[in-house]
């Protein structure tokens, strides 16, 4: 029996990401106004060597955010084309400075078998060395008897980026419950000690809490018995919603549309249930409105996007957007979060400006599609170091074609570029393997 992976909608706050982030750029790959297709098969460039940094999603430690892309467009590369890490430079992502990771080149064997899947799940500096690490989900062999093996593996960052073979994440027996898969990882500093921890699904509305830092063999510093939770699906990225110095996370009753709750961190980890959220498909946090201490929340649901200002306050409003996916980030650098909405119409991505009075129902901007197809926002983060979040959109054009577009955040009324500064495709990305 093999496990089928479950992907969760992610929480986003300010410049935080859904899956990854990036930084740096290469003007030679920019898409001129009025030009046609995206750059395909950008020539490989060396990965910049770093010395370590505290920047998020900086796998090679050079101070620039890197971009993680799953579900690569591919032709003839089998069912799993791998995970691409596009490294940053000075003005945005550099498509040529990339690494493509896969089960064959980078996966650890379980019972002598390579993983059948290799998908990015969470990123943070687990061992505290200044290089971001990547937690990947695999599909190890399992005969259905007893506890399944841990499906998570860790690729550690280095001056060369993510290279070599992953190590299986070690989940101590005392931190597990029942025979569920220990999966759905969320990174964060939940106990406030400065080290990155991991929270996993355990079983029967319980969470496994693994305290960091982690060793290079994938072992946590400590782990206790599973914590009781208000649901089964921990969801990241984590953030300090109530500004008490401990990261918090959202735990959903189940994947897909469901009720959820904010679980608050503390000295003993994430063990206190905070505000309850109505049925939705995700949550995005940000300082959308006034100057309240707590962050605000946007929750897409069947009737639109429900807004709750000053969590856990009771003030509510609704934006149009049935079937929407939401992300948050400060696009113009004014200190307030803006809302990026997609999924309401094919290829449409619109942006609502945060303001003291809350969001206007009419979008401030609608992004010009970089290609025809199904568009998905994969990142909202400061990619070029200008302290304004940018928007990364991937459009699946079908038949092994895609376009990845980067729209810069802008000061003033425009809020964000209508047309992308940079477009490229992952269709020509092939596994690079790295050191083994």
């Amino acid at each position: 029996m093999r496990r089928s992976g479950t992907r969760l909608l992610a929480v986003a706050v300010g410049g935080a990401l859904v899956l990854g982030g990036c930084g740096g750029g290469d003007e030679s790959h920019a898409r001129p106004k009025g030009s046609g297709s995206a750059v395909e098969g950008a020539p490989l460039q060396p990965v910049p060597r770093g010395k370590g940094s505290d920047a998020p999603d900086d796998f090679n430690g050079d101070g620039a955010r890197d971009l993680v892309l799953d579900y690569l467009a591919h032709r003839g590369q089998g069912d799993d084309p791998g995970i691409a890490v596009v490294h940053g430079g000075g003005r945005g992502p550099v498509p040529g400075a990339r690494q493509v990771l896969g089960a064959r080149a980078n996966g650890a064997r379980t019972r002598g078998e390579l993983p059948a899947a290799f998908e990015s799940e969470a990123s943070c500096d687990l061992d505290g060395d200044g290089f971001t690490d990547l937690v990947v989900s695999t599909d190890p062999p399992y005969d259905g008897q007893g506890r399944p093996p841990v499906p998570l593996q860790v690729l550690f960052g280095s001056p060369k980026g993510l290279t070599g073979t992953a190590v299986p994440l070690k989940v101590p027996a005392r931190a597990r419950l029942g025979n569920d898969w220990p999966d759905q990882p969320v990174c964060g500093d939940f106990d406030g000690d400065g080290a990155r921890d991991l929270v996993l699904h355990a079983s029967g509305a319980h969470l496994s809490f693994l305290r960091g830092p982690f060793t290079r063999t994938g072992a946590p510093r400590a782990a206790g018995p599973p914590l009781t939770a208000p649901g089964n699906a921990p969801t990241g990225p984590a953030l300090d919603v109530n500004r008490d110095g401990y990261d918090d996370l959202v735990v959903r009753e189940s994947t897909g549309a469901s009720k959820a709750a904010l679980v608050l961190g503390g000295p003993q980890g994430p063990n206190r249930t905070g505000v309850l959220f109505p049925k939705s498909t995700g949550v995005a946090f940000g300082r959308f409105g006034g100057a309240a201490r707590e962050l605000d929340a946007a929750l897409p649901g069947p009737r639109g996007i429900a807004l709750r200002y000053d969590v856990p306050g009771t003030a509510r409003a609704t934006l149009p957007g049935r079937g929407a996916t939401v992300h948050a980030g400060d696009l113009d650098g004014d200190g307030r979060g803006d809302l990026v909405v997609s999924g309401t119409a094919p290829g449409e991505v619109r942006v609502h400006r945060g303001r003291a009075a809350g969001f206007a129902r009419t979008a401030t901007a609608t992004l010009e599609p970089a290609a025809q197809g199904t568009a998905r926002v994969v990142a909202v983060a400061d990619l070029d170091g200008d302290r304004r979040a940018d928007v990364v959109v991937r459009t699946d054009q079908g038949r092994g074609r895609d376009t990845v577009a980067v729209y810069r955040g802008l000061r003033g009324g425009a809020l964000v570029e209508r047309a992308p500064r940079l477009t490229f495709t992952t269709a020509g990305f092939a596994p690079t393997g790295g050191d083994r």
Side-chain angles (χ1 to χ4, degrees):
M1 178 185 297
R2 286 189 181 275
R3 166 181 169 273
S4 59
T6 300
R7 301 305 298 264
L8 298 178
L9 293 173
V11 179
V13 57
L17 310 187
V18 175
L19 269 178
C22 58
D26 183 347
E27 292 301 325
S28 67
H29 296 300
R31 173 177 174 262
K33 272 192 174 180
S35 70
S37 60
V39 173
E40 180 169 354
L44 279 174
Q45 301 177 29
V47 173
R49 292 182 66 92
K51 297 181 179 180
S53 81
D54 58 1
D57 299 298
D58 183 10
F59 302 101
N60 59 331
D62 66 347
R65 297 185 80 147
D66 308 320
L67 176 65
V68 179
L69 296 169
D70 275 293
Y71 309 115
L72 306 181
H74 65 291
R75 305 182 187 96
Q77 293 184 34
D79 294 332
D80 185 4
I83 304 164
V85 176
V86 179
H87 288 276
R91 287 179 277 184
V94 183
R98 64 181 183 264
Q99 294 173 297
V100 180
L101 314 164
R104 179 171 297 180
N106 306 100
R109 293 180 180 271
T110 301
R111 299 174 184 171
E113 292 189 30
L114 284 171
F118 207 70
E119 300 175 358
S120 67
E121 291 287 350
S123 59
C124 58
D125 186 1
L126 289 173
D127 59 350
D129 64 352
F131 301 90
T132 302
D133 311 309
L134 187 68
V135 182
V136 299
S137 179
T138 70
D139 197 0
Y142 174 53
D143 62 6
Q145 304 298 314
R147 280 186 171 174
V150 176
L152 302 175
Q153 299 184 6
V154 181
L155 278 163
F156 286 97
S158 74
K160 296 181 180 179
L162 299 172
T163 63
T165 302
V167 300
L169 179 70
K170 292 180 170 58
V171 182
R174 62 181 175 278
R176 297 186 64 170
L177 183 68
N179 292 331
D180 277 9
W181 292 91
D183 57 7
Q184 302 171 33
V186 179
C187 284
D189 182 10
F190 302 104
D191 56 6
D193 66 353
R196 298 289 122 180
D197 314 309
L198 282 177
V199 167
L200 314 177
H201 164 74
S203 179
H206 284 78
L207 304 175
S208 294
F209 173 47
L210 309 182
R211 294 180 186 262
F214 288 70
T215 68
R216 295 296 291 244
T217 64
R221 176 177 63 85
L227 305 174
T228 303
N232 284 297
T235 307
L239 62 156
D240 185 2
V241 175
N242 58 357
R243 306 301 176 91
D244 64 352
Y246 304 97
D247 279 345
D248 315 308
L249 77 156
V250 171
V251 177
R252 309 184 63 74
E253 288 185 350
S254 61
T255 58
S258 70
K259 294 181 180 180
L262 184 67
V263 176
L264 304 175
Q268 304 307 314
N271 62 354
R272 297 173 294 149
T273 298
V275 63
L276 303 178
F277 294 120
K279 186 175 182 179
S280 67
T281 55
V283 186
F285 290 101
R287 193 174 299 285
F288 303 136
R293 177 179 173 82
E294 286 79 11
L295 298 178
D296 310 314
L299 303 99
R303 298 182 180 180
I305 303 169
L307 303 171
R308 176 173 288 180
Y309 294 110
D310 185 15
V311 172
T314 58
R316 293 178 174 87
T318 304
L319 287 176
R322 295 179 61 181
T325 299
V326 294
H327 302 78
D330 183 1
L331 298 173
D332 58 355
D334 67 351
R336 289 196 178 96
D338 308 301
L339 199 64
V340 180
V341 180
S342 62
T344 57
E348 182 180 85
V349 178
R350 68 177 192 266
V351 181
H352 293 260
R353 181 193 303 277
R355 56 182 187 167
F359 293 118
R361 289 179 62 82
T362 303
T364 305
T366 300
L367 304 185
E368 177 184 305
Q372 297 299 312
T374 302
R376 184 172 69 93
V377 177
V378 296
V380 177
D382 179 8
L383 312 180
D384 52 12
D386 64 358
R387 300 187 180 181
R388 298 189 296 272
D390 311 301
V391 181
V392 181
V393 179
R394 177 181 180 268
T395 302
D396 183 357
Q397 299 169 261
R399 297 184 179 180
R401 298 178 301 153
D402 75 344
T403 296
V404 179
V406 180
Y407 301 78
R408 291 183 302 180
L410 300 174
R411 295 191 191 279
L415 192 62
V416 67
E417 290 178 324
R418 298 296 179 92
R421 175 189 63 85
L422 168 72
T423 60
F424 62 93
T425 177
T426 69
F429 286 14
T432 50
D435 299 338
R436 286 177 297 196

